[in-house]
Amino acid sequence: MPSKLSRLQGTIRDHTINWLDNLSCLSLSPASAVQGLTFTDEDLDGLFGKSSDKILGVYSEQDIWDAMHKFGVIDHVAKQGFKQLSVTSDTSDPFVHEVVLTDQILANNGPETRFLIKVFIRRRDFVPINFKAHGRFPAEVQDFMDVMLKGVTLHLTVIEYMIMQNPTKTFESDRRQLPSQRHPGLGCGRKMDLALKHMAEEHGRDGMLNFPENWHNAYFYQAGEGYQFINPAFQGHFNSLCENLKEDLKHKGLAAVAWAVNTQQVIDTDTGQPYVWKPEEQIWPTSCGPLKAYFSSKHYSQLVNKYTEHRQRFVIQWTEELLIHATVD
């Protein structure tokens, strides 16, 4: 779970990149360049801590509850025995806000088991160079992005971290533990995604962004048919990897495959080396603006297809330790 210090460091780094990029575009002396810098309201709110009890400055706890209820999250969780649910929030951090769904029966638990859903969320404006993956884009992808998103600022809702858990349950033979999981999930990830998307749409955001820490996180997000990688080359690579692991997923289950990727037991047969997951940004467009046009363009699809390898490149090196995580039929 990201600490407040790490989130602060990340945000300072992000703002620094934005401002240095502005500087590099100005043919001015340093003093004049600084005078010519422009700052968004979000920049100033983040740096100086705009006073607001609302989540991201716009949502009340009731708004969050209503969205969760509308898309079935509340009913789904209630059916698992939680009858005294409530939404709480922490907006004390000027950059990243925390939203929690909990139940009264968890009130006396420790901090790691006192909640059912916890989301760290923020708003951020992006231009292409702001994407962490930008430096890894092939030249033709950078050219494509520069054409499609030239002069565009994307207003994104960033899911910094989200965990959904049932701390009253234990893992079973048909529902194995995934990397980074402490407790079984709630089984309503898609519903929660739709609730967050609905709120982003209502307030004119261009999309939702996540940076999947683990391969299985990206797999879940893509399975929901909303998220795609901003880098079409990486989307093609991800498609190839998932296709190569398809039979293992079918016969061993998601948990075993996820642990194989996590422990670097997936082998790249081109190099003979373990495959290392290096995540990039996944985005779900929430408006009919330039971002949706970017993902639905013929050129994006062509680039994805170009970087999708239709051959068996990645294989799992199965061990007894990995097979412990396999689903029992």
Side-chain angles (χ1 to χ4, degrees):
M1 185 181 301
S3 67
K4 287 190 176 182
L5 177 59
S6 66
R7 299 200 301 271
L8 172 61
Q9 290 171 332
T11 301
I12 290 174
R13 181 189 64 246
D14 293 341
H15 284 302
T16 301
I17 291 172
N18 286 344
W19 299 338
L20 289 176
D21 185 43
N22 286 340
L23 279 172
S24 68
C25 296
L26 297 171
S27 301
L28 301 169
S29 67
S32 298
V34 171
Q35 291 177 356
L37 280 174
T38 59
F39 301 90
T40 66
D41 289 340
E42 185 182 21
D43 291 334
L44 298 175
D45 291 348
L47 287 175
F48 301 112
K50 183 176 180 178
S51 178
S52 174
D53 291 331
K54 290 196 171 183
I55 300 148
L56 303 184
V58 293
Y59 307 111
S60 67
E61 291 175 356
Q62 186 63 48
D63 292 333
I64 303 295
W65 174 274
D66 291 344
M68 286 186 177
H69 188 271
K70 179 175 182 176
F71 289 91
V73 176
I74 300 300
D75 289 345
H76 183 95
V77 174
K79 288 176 182 177
Q80 298 182 44
F82 300 102
K83 305 299 184 182
Q84 301 180 73
L85 294 164
S86 62
V87 169
T88 63
S89 63
D90 181 352
T91 61
S92 61
D93 187 300
F95 306 105
V96 182
H97 289 175
E98 177 185 291
V99 176
V100 171
L101 178 69
T102 188
D103 190 274
Q104 184 59 36
I105 66 171
L106 305 176
N108 295 323
N109 288 11
E112 298 302 323
T113 57
R114 202 177 291 152
F115 65 89
L116 298 162
I117 298 175
K118 181 177 288 187
V119 185
F120 288 100
I121 193 169
R122 65 180 289 195
R123 293 182 299 168
R124 187 183 163 199
D125 292 348
F126 281 79
V127 294
I129 198 172
N130 297 143
F131 293 111
K132 293 179 181 178
H134 188 268
R136 289 191 242 161
F137 290 175
E140 62 183 329
V141 172
Q142 291 194 37
D143 291 343
F144 163 63
M145 181 177 283
D146 289 343
V147 170
M148 291 293 293
L149 300 177
K150 184 177 181 180
V152 173
T153 298
L154 300 172
H155 308 291
L156 303 181
T157 298
V158 182
I159 312 300
E160 294 278 359
Y161 178 88
M162 180 163 65
I163 184 168
M164 307 176 72
Q165 64 178 17
N166 186 336
T168 69
K169 297 291 185 181
T170 57
F171 294 101
E172 305 291 343
S173 60
D174 62 343
R175 199 169 185 183
R176 298 295 195 181
Q177 184 177 11
L178 293 164
S180 301
Q181 255 191 333
R182 293 189 181 93
H183 305 280
L186 293 166
C188 57
R190 179 62 174 169
K191 293 179 173 64
M192 189 63 191
D193 282 342
L194 289 171
L196 292 171
K197 178 176 182 282
H198 170 72
M199 290 187 291
E201 288 173 334
E202 278 197 323
H203 288 274
R205 309 303 290 170
D206 291 311
M208 297 197 306
L209 179 148
N210 81 86
F211 197 76
E213 178 185 0
N214 299 294
W215 166 81
H216 68 270
N217 297 129
Y219 182 80
F220 280 138
Y221 278 119
Q222 179 161 296
E225 300 181 358
Y227 283 94
Q228 292 174 277
F229 288 99
I230 189 70
N231 177 0
F234 192 80
Q235 183 65 57
H237 162 77
F238 183 73
N239 291 349
S240 301
L241 177 62
C242 291
E243 182 62 29
N244 283 185
L245 301 177
K246 190 174 181 178
E247 287 301 307
D248 293 299
L249 285 165
K250 179 179 178 181
H251 296 291
K252 301 293 196 305
L254 176 64
V257 173
W259 280 106
V261 178
N262 185 265
T263 58
Q264 298 181 21
Q265 295 300 316
V266 176
I267 305 301
D268 183 343
T269 60
D270 281 2
T271 64
Q273 298 300 310
Y275 173 74
V276 179
W277 173 248
K278 296 179 180 178
E280 298 192 6
E281 293 93 343
Q282 277 182 307
I283 297 179
W284 189 355
T286 56
S287 73
C288 294
L291 194 55
K292 190 165 188 177
Y294 174 89
F295 282 115
S296 62
S297 69
K298 183 177 180 180
H299 199 175
Y300 179 88
S301 297
Q302 289 173 335
L303 286 168
V304 171
N305 291 334
K306 178 177 179 178
Y307 286 93
T308 300
E309 299 181 82
H310 301 283
R311 62 189 179 93
Q312 190 68 33
R313 174 179 172 181
F314 301 101
V315 297
I316 295 178
Q317 186 172 274
W318 288 106
T319 64
E320 290 184 11
E321 290 80 5
L322 280 181
L323 290 172
I324 291 174
H325 301 285
T327 300
V328 176
D329 295 327

